[in-house]
Amino acid sequence: MKITKVRARVFEWKGHTVTPTPHFCSNAMDELWDKGDSMGTFRFHGWTTVEIETDTGLVGLGNVALAPRIAKAIIDQYLAPLVIGQDPFDYEYLWQRMYRATHAWGRKGIGMAAISGVDIAIWDLMGKAVNQPVFKLLGGRTKEKIPCYASKLYRTDLKSMQQEAQSYLDQGFKAMKMRFGYGPKDGPDGMRENLRSVAAVREVIGEDIDLMLECYMGWNLEYAKRMLPRLERFQPRWLEEPVIADDIDGYAELNQLTSIPISGGEHEFTHYGFRQLLEKRAVSVIQYDTNRVGGITAARKINAIAESFSVPVIPHAGQMHNYHLTMSTLASPMSEFFPVHDVEIGNELFYYLFEGDPEPVNGFLDLDDDTPGLGLSLNERYFDQFTIIE
Ligand SMILES: O=C(O)C(=O)C[C@@H](O)CO
Ligand SMILES: [Mg+2]
């Protein structure tokens, strides 16, 4: 089989969106004096799709969620020529070809995200070619079903957060993740608000439900060191991305500070990046996202390294490219799941662009043994709500 064409398309959402309220989610812009619409940088209202065509007529589908127009340009200009004419089953060779050819600028960030989109499409193609789901190519079913946690609970008024938490309990979730709204610039009041929000959610869900806490890089080391001891009594399953992704020593320090496990990795890239995080004991939970980290080819290597460190991998965002990896490794005990709702931050945009994702039942997801590839296709129902760039 030979790759004949790589078609990268940008989908920019032009439909209805919900604007986040102030203090909706702490984030890396919060430390600046003029943060503007701080969550603006971290709203993802566009996507790049990657369709890889072959001389057999089979088409593999991959995707990239970051900086879509740039990802498309990288794929069109640099990556497509490297894979056209090649056999998709040479996935490791093709990954190295893309990684090494773009090494001067592509190792981390959008370069690697673009490689990820092509690599995911290649794995989808391989699954389709042998008529097997991708998780079967990766080692098969290591769990009957995938436990998943509901991930939303942005900071709004506490009553609404409590109602939202209750709705996840009603749907059978045994774990959920909430966001902090306040950080170092918000002083003692903000600190109190952060603690109040965790107390409010804990009050509804009790002690037996796992609660994950998300900072989204909106704190700094000093603030995190003051917050962590105050949060211990809530027994969170983990505290996520307390500081910016480059402060690896900060992660390591925080990870040893209290009984609260520190998680991170959704802004880290390739097995080289994760080796560093693991060797420094910087995180107790790894959260790569397959469509950023280097695709399935890199993610499976990270799973192997993480397994040897006994550090669980719970990928960022859920979604099919992550679910297949989670299903096929004991290193991954669980998946993230973004509930379907109106387009807000953009995490949920996935469901407007793709179809085939499993729906959780009582807090578990399952993958179909009989659907070849990743089981994802483009959802043309909403195409008229996107600007599509070919
Ligand atoms: O789900 C996460 O871990 C994220 O970081 C999502 C992001 O949109 C912040 O809420
Ligand atoms: Mg996160």
Side-chain angles (χ1 to χ4, degrees):
M1 181 166 45
K2 292 270 180 286
I3 295 172
T4 50
K5 186 176 170 189
V6 178
R7 182 184 188 195
R9 280 192 281 178
V10 174
F11 287 79
E12 289 176 347
W13 180 251
K14 58 180 181 187
H16 170 70
T17 56
V18 180
T19 309
T21 45
H23 297 292
F24 192 71
C25 183
S26 57
N27 64 75
M29 288 294 281
D30 289 354
E31 284 233 78
L32 299 180
W33 68 272
D34 175 17
K35 60 183 181 171
D37 172 11
S38 75
M39 204 53 192
T41 329
F42 296 104
R43 248 176 276 153
F44 305 102
H45 289 178
W47 225 283
T48 315
T49 60
V50 187
E51 289 152 281
I52 296 195
E53 300 175 8
T54 60
D55 55 3
T56 62
L58 288 175
V59 180
L61 177 62
N63 71 88
V64 191
L66 300 178
R69 289 183 190 222
I70 316 227
K72 174 179 162 52
I74 292 172
I75 293 166
D76 288 348
Q77 216 174 315
Y78 296 96
L79 305 182
L82 296 169
V83 300
I84 287 172
Q86 303 288 330
D87 181 346
F89 280 92
D90 295 340
Y91 62 87
E92 173 67 20
Y93 165 70
L94 294 178
W95 192 92
Q96 294 290 352
R97 207 170 148 87
M98 293 188 283
Y99 172 62
R100 287 164 190 273
T102 59
H103 207 71
W105 50 268
R107 294 159 43 241
K108 292 188 182 227
I110 190 61
M112 191 46 65
I115 290 175
S116 306
V118 175
D119 181 83
I120 291 169
I122 285 174
W123 278 89
D124 185 41
L125 203 44
M126 288 194 287
K128 286 171 175 161
V130 296
N131 212 22
Q132 296 284 341
V134 169
F135 74 83
K136 291 282 275 183
L137 307 191
L138 294 170
R141 187 178 278 274
T142 64
K143 38 189 85 63
E144 194 185 346
K145 288 180 183 161
I146 303 173
C148 63
Y149 72 91
S151 179
K152 195 167 173 272
L153 283 169
Y154 286 89
R155 175 61 202 258
T156 52
D157 68 280
L158 298 186
K159 230 4 323 98
S160 306
M161 289 182 80
Q162 287 186 316
Q163 283 164 357
E164 189 186 336
Q166 182 61 51
S167 77
Y168 300 139
L169 294 183
D170 296 344
Q171 291 167 58
F173 286 102
K174 300 283 183 290
M176 57 189 82
K177 184 159 87 189
M178 60 177 288
R179 275 76 180 165
F180 288 113
Y182 297 82
K185 300 255 292 283
D186 301 307
D189 280 351
M191 210 174 249
R192 255 191 305 277
E193 280 302 317
N194 279 339
L195 295 169
R196 277 182 70 217
S197 64
V198 184
V201 174
R202 258 286 174 241
E203 185 186 315
V204 170
I205 68 175
E207 300 293 312
D208 294 344
I209 299 292
D210 279 333
L211 180 60
M212 293 73 159
L213 305 177
E214 166 77 275
C215 309
Y216 206 46
M217 306 168 290
W219 294 357
N220 58 30
L221 186 56
E222 193 251 341
Y223 186 85
K225 280 160 82 171
R226 294 172 67 201
M227 281 299 288
L228 273 166
R230 291 166 162 85
L231 288 165
E232 257 189 311
R233 71 188 161 101
F234 299 111
Q235 299 200 318
R237 171 99 180 235
W238 69 66
L239 182 106
E240 182 165 334
E241 290 204 298
V243 294
I244 50 171
D246 283 327
D247 187 6
I248 295 174
D249 288 330
Y251 277 84
E253 188 175 341
L254 295 171
N255 206 23
Q256 320 313 324
L257 191 70
T258 68
S259 62
I260 302 176
I262 301 298
S263 72
E266 67 182 78
H267 301 101
E268 190 51 76
F269 300 87
T270 78
H271 41 298
Y272 291 109
F274 281 91
R275 185 181 81 176
Q276 214 184 351
L277 285 179
L278 288 165
E279 281 178 350
K280 292 204 167 201
R281 303 285 193 276
V283 288
S284 292
V285 180
I286 279 183
Q287 296 170 300
Y288 64 66
D289 197 327
T290 303
N291 71 2
R292 302 175 180 177
V293 80
I296 292 172
T297 301
R300 65 203 288 266
K301 294 179 185 175
I302 298 166
N303 287 350
I305 304 171
E307 188 181 335
S308 72
F309 276 83
S310 294
V311 170
V313 178
I314 305 179
H316 171 250
Q319 302 166 350
M320 279 308 215
H321 37 271
N322 293 313
Y323 295 149
H324 281 262
L325 282 146
T326 300
M327 179 58 99
S328 59
T329 174
L330 280 183
S332 285
M334 160 190 279
S335 280
E336 180 166 15
F337 171 74
F338 289 140
V340 185
H341 58 95
D342 286 345
V343 176
E344 190 177 57
I345 292 297
N347 295 326
E348 61 292 328
L349 194 61
F350 193 79
Y351 306 115
Y352 293 81
L353 190 53
F354 300 100
E355 54 193 352
D357 252 43
E359 280 180 27
V361 179
N362 275 327
F364 287 88
L365 292 159
D366 200 4
L367 297 178
D368 188 355
D369 290 301
D370 299 319
T371 305
L374 289 166
L376 214 56
S377 53
L378 286 167
N379 180 359
E380 298 196 4
R381 253 178 314 149
Y382 296 100
F383 268 23
D384 62 346
Q385 308 223 38
F386 287 95
T387 302
I388 303 172
I389 304 166
E390 288 277 353

